[in-house]
């Protein structure tokens, strides 16, 4: 009997100690939803649209929230104040990336710009990209490339116009963005390639698109390592990455042979080869970054913007009127017009606010411990910044769920997307901010302005609205392709 009493007392004492230690530990971390044994909060982010669910959780637990995703400690920043704290005040502490499946496969063992851990290698890669690809001079130099690809797209749409048939604009936007980036990176394009080269480029684009879908979020093995063998998506990711690597390897060898005979620098891959400081793996990694990130972000922004305008015909007419005044009814949109197209720029900002290409920005990881708002955050803690939540924060944005670009001409005229206004950071902020911001916005503004100025758009017969449901991948795309019927703005042959 005494033995049983002692056992019960010791058990209760142990439980009390565990509870006290757990409570003490939890007091040093930000608020957290109730977790499940072993998996922690994995079930909360395994939703169809995790950014939306995390946004709702943040309303209960605050702008800085703690999650335990299997073995991974994670902070989620969901308000402008929280985002500013982690990406500005503690920018250096959170400047690294986690070592996960995306870094291993799509990041070429974390040797690329996107997934490389914070350090000298990453700084070297960023310097190369900034000086050789993203500077204003280089962006301007590729203006003829953007104009050529847009003219080819317009020619294709004019043919559809004459036939009065619906066009899958989602796929056209992806191909336009890919062709433009591919010309700049590889000096190749689906639009003028022929034979086997055209098929290889199309296959490469299809693999990029599939990778964007299957590579969303963390894989099972990232969260619970002992179950990595059970994740079927990893096998598909490996296969896709092998196809992408093989094609870029072919292009690299072709570029090297061409340079041996001509010594010309025509594209970004030539620049990297001529530099002589990066090995083949890192050259393929950087060119892959340019092609994937550039294609996805540009295409989905154009797609969401035109979808929103189809739902708001009065805004469509206003932007077309602006184009009429600035460009002229018989004029052609040029990139020089963009600074004068203030309402068009406001439409793009509003699109990025409601539909950021990556609603959960690329994950960060802390390189050392820090204290945020009295909470002790240990080194090795992951960070997710919910750009979707920042753009719909009701304390910051009036009528936060309404598509209202005029706010950027009135009450929010000083808000930019350059990473300094934390209520709107679709491209991130701080050290790991997207370096291609200028190039991406130039392409989106130019392409969208041309599409709106050249054509009138209508829904196919029998369709009375645009489906705005989203699919969560590496970027946020709409569930259904945007099918619209084009008609020349002046007259249709």
């Amino acid at each position: 009997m005494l033995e049983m009493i002692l056992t019960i007392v010791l058990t209760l004492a142990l439980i009390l100690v565990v509870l006290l230690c757990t409570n003490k530990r939890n007091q040093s971390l930000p608020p957290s939803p109730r977790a499940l044994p072993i998996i922690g909060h994995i079930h909360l982010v395994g939703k169809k649209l995790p950014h939306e669910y995390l946004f709702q959780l943040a309303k209960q637990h605050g702008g800085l929230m703690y999650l335990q995703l299997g073995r991974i400690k994670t902070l989620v920043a969901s308000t402008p104040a929280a985002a500013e704290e982690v990406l500005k005040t503690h920018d250096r502490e959170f400047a690294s990336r986690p070592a996960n499946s995306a870094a291993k496969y799509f990041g070429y063992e974390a040797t690329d710009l996107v997934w490389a851990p914070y350090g000298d290698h990453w700084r070297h890669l960023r310097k190369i990209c900034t000086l050789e690809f993203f500077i204003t001079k280089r962006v301007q130099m590729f203006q003829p490339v953007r104009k050529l690809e847009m003219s080819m797209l317009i020619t294709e749409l004019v043919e559809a116009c004459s036939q009065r048939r619906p066009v899958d604009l989602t796929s056209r936007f992806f191909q336009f963005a890919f062709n433009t980036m591919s010309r700049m990176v590889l000096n190749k394009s689906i639009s003028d390639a022929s034979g086997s080269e055209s098929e290889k480029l199309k296959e490469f684009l299809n693999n990029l698109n599939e990778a964007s879908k299957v590579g969303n979020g963390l894989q099972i093995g990232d969260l619970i390592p002992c179950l990595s063998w059970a994740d079927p998506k990893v096998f598909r990711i490996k296969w896709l990455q092998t196809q992408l690597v093989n094609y870029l390897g072919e292009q690299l060898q072709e570029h090297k042979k061409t340079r041996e005979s001509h010594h010309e620098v025509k594209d970004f891959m030539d620049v990297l080869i001529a530099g002589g400081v990066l090995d083949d793996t890192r050259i393929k990694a950087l060119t892959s970054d340019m092609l994937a990130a550039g294609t996805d972000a540009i295409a989905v922004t154009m797609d969401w913007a035109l979808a929103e305008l189809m739902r708001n015909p009065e805004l469509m007419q206003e932007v077309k009127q602006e184009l009429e005044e600035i460009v002229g009814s018989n004029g052609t949109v040029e990139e020089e017009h963009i600074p004068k197209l203030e309402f068009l720029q406001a439409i793009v900002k509003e699109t990025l606010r409601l539909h950021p290409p990556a609603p959960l920005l690329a994950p960060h990881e802390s390189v050392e411990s820090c204290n945020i708002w009295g909470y002790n955050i240990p080194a090795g803690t992951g960070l997710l910044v919910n750009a979707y939540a920042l753009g719909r924060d009701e304390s910051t944005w009036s009528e936060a769920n309404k598509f209202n670009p005029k706010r950027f001409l009135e009450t929010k005229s000083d808000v930019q997307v350059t990473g300094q206004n934390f209520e709107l950071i679709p491209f991130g902020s701080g050290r790991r901010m997207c370096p291609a911001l200028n190039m991406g916005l130039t392409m989106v503004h130019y392409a969208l302005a041309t599409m709106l100025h050249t054509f009138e758009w209508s829904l196919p017969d029998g369709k009375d609205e645009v489906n705005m449901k989203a699919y969560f991948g590496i970027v946020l795309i709409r569930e259904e392709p945007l099918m619209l019927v084009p008609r020349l703005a002046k007259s249709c042959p």
Side-chain angles (χ1 to χ4, degrees):
M1 183 67 177
L2 180 60
E3 199 173 297
M4 182 181 296
I5 293 173
L6 286 173
T7 301
I8 293 173
V9 170
L10 288 173
T11 301
L12 290 175
L14 180 61
I15 292 173
L16 181 61
V17 168
V18 170
L19 289 174
L20 287 173
C21 291
T22 301
N23 187 54
K24 183 177 180 181
R25 183 179 71 249
N26 288 342
Q27 284 179 348
S28 69
L29 293 170
S32 179
R34 185 178 297 276
L36 296 178
I38 302 177
I39 68 171
H41 300 100
I42 292 177
H43 62 297
L44 300 181
V45 297
K47 305 288 183 179
K48 182 179 179 182
L49 297 173
H51 55 284
E52 289 189 4
Y53 194 75
L54 290 174
F55 179 36
Q56 297 305 317
L57 282 178
K59 293 179 180 179
Q60 304 172 37
H61 300 283
L64 195 65
M65 181 170 56
Y66 174 79
L67 300 179
Q68 186 70 43
L69 303 178
R71 67 181 179 89
I72 301 175
K73 306 181 292 290
T74 304
L75 287 182
V76 183
S78 302
T79 62
E84 183 172 7
E85 191 71 16
V86 295
L87 296 181
K88 183 178 180 181
T89 306
H90 295 280
D91 178 23
R92 187 181 63 81
E93 288 95 326
F94 283 98
S96 201
R97 297 287 195 212
N100 57 27
S101 297
K104 181 177 181 179
Y105 300 114
F106 296 134
Y108 294 72
E109 300 288 348
T111 61
D112 71 333
L113 181 64
V114 175
W115 290 103
Y118 184 62
D120 291 340
H121 172 63
W122 171 79
R123 279 189 287 267
H124 180 58
L125 293 182
R126 186 174 179 98
K127 182 178 179 180
I128 291 174
C129 292
T130 301
L131 294 179
E132 299 293 350
F133 199 61
F134 299 130
I135 59 172
T136 302
K137 181 180 179 181
R138 185 75 68 175
V139 174
Q140 292 173 345
M141 187 180 78
F142 284 120
Q143 182 176 346
V145 169
R146 296 186 287 274
K147 194 166 185 177
L148 174 61
E149 285 299 335
M150 179 50 62
S151 68
M152 291 184 172
L153 176 57
I154 293 299
T155 299
E156 181 183 353
L157 292 174
V158 167
E159 181 181 347
C161 170
S162 64
Q163 298 172 4
R164 300 287 198 275
R165 60 179 171 83
V167 175
D168 178 356
L169 285 177
T170 300
S171 66
R172 297 303 192 282
F173 289 156
F174 270 93
Q175 186 162 309
F176 163 76
F178 174 75
N179 283 342
T180 306
M181 295 302 301
S182 184
R183 280 191 190 274
M184 292 188 285
V185 174
L186 302 174
N187 196 30
K188 293 182 182 294
S189 169
I190 296 172
S191 57
D192 61 8
S194 59
S196 61
E197 188 60 48
S198 175
E199 292 306 312
K200 286 181 179 179
L201 283 165
K202 289 177 182 177
E203 182 181 5
F204 187 86
L205 175 57
N206 290 337
N207 288 335
L208 277 182
N209 288 338
E210 186 180 351
S212 178
K213 291 182 178 180
V214 301
N216 61 330
L218 295 170
Q219 310 310 321
I220 293 174
D222 297 325
L223 308 173
I224 306 175
C226 65
L227 296 180
S228 58
W229 60 272
D231 190 350
K233 285 206 302 183
V234 170
F235 295 101
R236 188 60 181 172
I237 288 172
K238 289 181 181 178
W239 184 88
L240 287 168
Q241 184 61 3
T242 298
Q243 307 310 305
L244 297 174
V245 169
N246 288 344
Y247 179 74
L248 290 176
E250 292 176 9
Q251 294 307 306
L252 182 57
Q253 296 309 311
E254 180 182 314
H255 275 66
K256 286 183 176 180
K257 289 179 181 178
T258 302
R259 277 193 51 74
E260 287 175 2
S261 56
H262 299 292
H263 301 286
E264 291 182 278
V265 176
K266 296 181 178 180
D267 52 52
F268 186 55
M269 185 172 273
D270 281 333
V271 170
L272 297 178
I273 294 171
V277 295
L278 297 179
D279 61 22
D280 288 0
T281 297
R282 286 165 175 77
I283 291 175
K284 288 184 288 187
L286 278 183
T287 52
S288 180
D289 280 352
M290 302 303 113
L291 292 168
T295 297
D296 286 348
I298 291 163
V300 298
T301 302
M302 292 173 60
D303 191 62
W304 282 110
L306 189 51
E308 285 286 7
L309 288 173
M310 293 303 297
R311 299 173 71 231
N312 295 274
E314 71 287 352
L315 299 178
M316 174 77 84
Q317 290 308 308
E318 286 190 50
V319 69
K320 290 179 76 67
Q321 180 61 37
E322 180 184 63
L323 287 161
E324 183 91 4
E325 294 172 359
I326 301 299
V327 180
S329 58
N330 296 315
T332 301
V333 173
E334 303 288 351
E335 291 184 6
E336 291 74 14
H337 291 127
I338 294 173
K340 301 177 184 178
L341 298 171
E342 295 181 356
F343 192 52
L344 176 79
Q345 293 180 59
I347 286 170
V348 172
K349 282 185 186 179
E350 184 72 342
T351 301
L352 293 169
R353 180 185 73 84
L354 284 175
H355 312 288
L360 296 175
L361 302 180
H364 294 238
E365 185 176 84
S366 58
V367 295
E368 60 185 63
S369 61
C370 58
N371 187 281
I372 302 177
W373 294 347
Y375 302 119
N376 295 319
I377 311 301
T381 299
L383 169 66
L384 295 175
V385 178
N386 194 342
Y388 173 90
L390 303 181
R392 296 180 186 243
D393 185 272
E394 294 179 354
S395 65
T396 303
W397 305 97
S398 62
E399 297 183 290
N401 294 313
K402 181 181 179 181
F403 186 79
N404 176 25
K406 293 181 181 179
R407 71 176 82 239
F408 290 105
L409 302 177
E410 298 165 354
T411 58
K412 295 292 183 178
S413 60
D414 59 333
V415 174
Q416 305 298 327
V417 295
T418 53
Q420 303 304 311
N421 303 108
F422 288 89
E423 61 265 55
L424 186 65
I425 51 170
F427 304 102
S429 181
R431 287 169 170 80
R432 299 308 289 245
M433 181 177 176
C434 174
L437 171 65
N438 184 28
M439 180 178 291
L441 287 178
T442 297
M443 287 180 62
V444 169
H445 287 130
Y446 170 63
L448 189 60
T450 302
M451 300 288 281
L452 295 173
H453 186 57
T454 307
F455 300 100
E456 304 285 352
W457 299 97
S458 59
L459 293 169
D461 291 341
K463 188 111 176 175
D464 56 4
E465 62 181 14
V466 177
N467 184 345
M468 300 297 281
K469 292 181 179 179
Y471 177 87
F472 182 81
I474 292 178
V475 292
L476 192 68
I477 60 177
R478 291 181 318 99
E479 276 190 348
E480 294 182 4
L482 184 61
M483 302 293 297
L484 298 179
V485 180
R487 179 172 61 84
L488 284 174
K490 281 298 178 183
S491 61
C492 189

